[in-house]
Amino acid sequence: MKIALLGYGKMGKVIEQLALQRGHEIVLKKSSESNFDGLENADVVIEFSIPSAAVKNISESLNKKIPVVCGTTGWLQSYREIENLCVEKNTGFIYASNFSLGVNIFFELNDYLAKMMSKFSQYKITMQEIHHTQKLDAPSGTAISLANSIISNSSYDHWTLENPKSNELFIDAQRIENVPGTHSVFYNSEVDSIEIKHTANNREGFAFGAVLAAEWIVGKKGVFTMKDVLGLSKS
């Protein structure tokens, strides 16, 4: 499989190493200083850049009818536009706020727990996410995915990074050097506390999931998620 890497930072380099180990070829490694030369030779694009570059990178690829696996967060105000372009060009697209297999299992656990706890109003819910200092968006896309699942199963209306009102789900977003990613959800009452937590030990889990998604999407048409890739239940 021929892969174009749009975004060649730390994640891009880890993805490159893993893709080569799995027998794939890298035909383009695009950074902010380079162009799209060679993109047309790719079977699939893996996009891990920055929020300000993501939409252009994805659009350029879909316009060439090359399927895209995107892990950049912070650009979702344009998601519907990208979704429509994917359908128009009859190719494939996967966006995930996190490609780690463990995180996607954690998403399912979070959703299940939120549904279960919706019956018990005595528990106040809060969240925490910690990432490396190079991460530009806060809260993380993973934290937003977790929060949205909680909101859809609770009395909270939306999330906030500030002092929360009664209808707001508080997310404590921290940036600390050399932390790949840690996400925690807390249910606290006067008598006890429940916590679920996912800690990434390195970037390899994200890279493996992204390469797995790229292998899966080649030849498929439509807009997909990691639930499709992993065969996780939608119930």
Side-chain angles (χ1 to χ4, degrees):
M1 186 171 70
K2 296 180 179 180
I3 300 173
L5 296 176
L6 303 189
Y8 194 59
K10 291 180 180 179
M11 267 301 299
K13 291 178 173 65
V14 177
I15 290 170
E16 176 187 30
Q17 293 173 3
L18 184 59
L20 292 174
Q21 290 171 11
R22 292 174 69 84
H24 303 307
E25 179 184 353
I26 308 300
V27 296
L28 172 61
K29 295 179 282 190
K30 185 183 183 304
S31 66
S32 58
E33 290 79 31
S34 58
N35 56 34
F36 291 98
D37 289 350
L39 177 61
E40 65 280 359
N41 299 319
D43 298 313
V44 65
V45 163
I46 301 180
E47 207 281 341
F48 272 83
S49 62
I50 57 175
S52 59
V55 174
K56 181 177 181 181
N57 286 344
I58 299 166
S59 299
E60 190 78 19
S61 306
L62 295 179
N63 277 319
K64 287 182 166 57
K65 298 189 175 183
I66 303 170
V68 177
V69 169
C70 174
T72 304
T73 59
W75 62 272
L76 290 186
Q77 68 279 2
S78 301
Y79 182 82
R80 184 57 59 86
E81 168 192 336
I82 292 300
E83 188 177 49
N84 291 339
L85 181 60
C86 174
V87 173
E88 176 189 336
K89 298 300 178 180
N90 194 32
T91 186
F93 178 69
I94 295 175
Y95 164 78
S97 58
N98 196 311
F99 280 94
S100 160
L101 306 190
V103 164
N104 280 276
I105 294 169
F106 189 65
F107 284 153
E108 297 295 298
L109 177 62
N110 175 68
D111 188 60
Y112 182 81
L113 182 59
K115 289 175 181 176
M116 182 187 300
M117 297 300 290
S118 64
K119 303 174 184 177
F120 305 105
S121 59
Q122 65 266 42
Y123 286 89
K124 178 182 178 182
I125 312 172
T126 59
M127 293 176 52
Q128 183 185 71
E129 63 99 341
I130 308 172
H131 280 86
H132 51 87
T133 52
Q134 289 76 38
K135 185 167 182 57
L136 300 180
D137 54 322
S140 68
T142 301
I144 292 173
S145 295
L146 292 165
N148 286 339
S149 181
I150 293 168
I151 289 166
S152 67
N153 291 289
S154 70
S155 61
Y156 293 98
D157 294 335
H158 53 279
W159 55 263
T160 181
L161 297 174
E162 309 298 332
N163 291 329
K165 299 176 183 177
S166 60
N167 64 330
E168 294 177 329
L169 174 62
F170 176 63
I171 303 176
D172 176 21
Q174 299 186 21
R175 295 294 173 264
I176 299 174
E177 196 69 34
N178 298 321
V179 177
T182 300
H183 294 86
S184 302
V185 181
F186 307 95
Y187 289 80
N188 294 309
S189 76
E190 291 185 0
V191 297
D192 60 11
S193 299
I194 301 169
E195 174 185 351
I196 58 172
K197 181 178 182 180
H198 179 274
T199 301
N201 297 326
N202 52 54
R203 290 183 172 87
E204 291 182 8
F206 310 128
F208 176 75
V211 174
L212 193 69
E215 293 171 349
W216 183 89
I217 200 173
V218 170
K220 293 182 175 67
K221 315 294 184 185
V223 179
F224 304 99
T225 70
M226 280 299 284
K227 281 191 174 188
D228 300 304
V229 177
L230 301 176
L232 295 174
S233 171
K234 292 182 172 62
S235 62

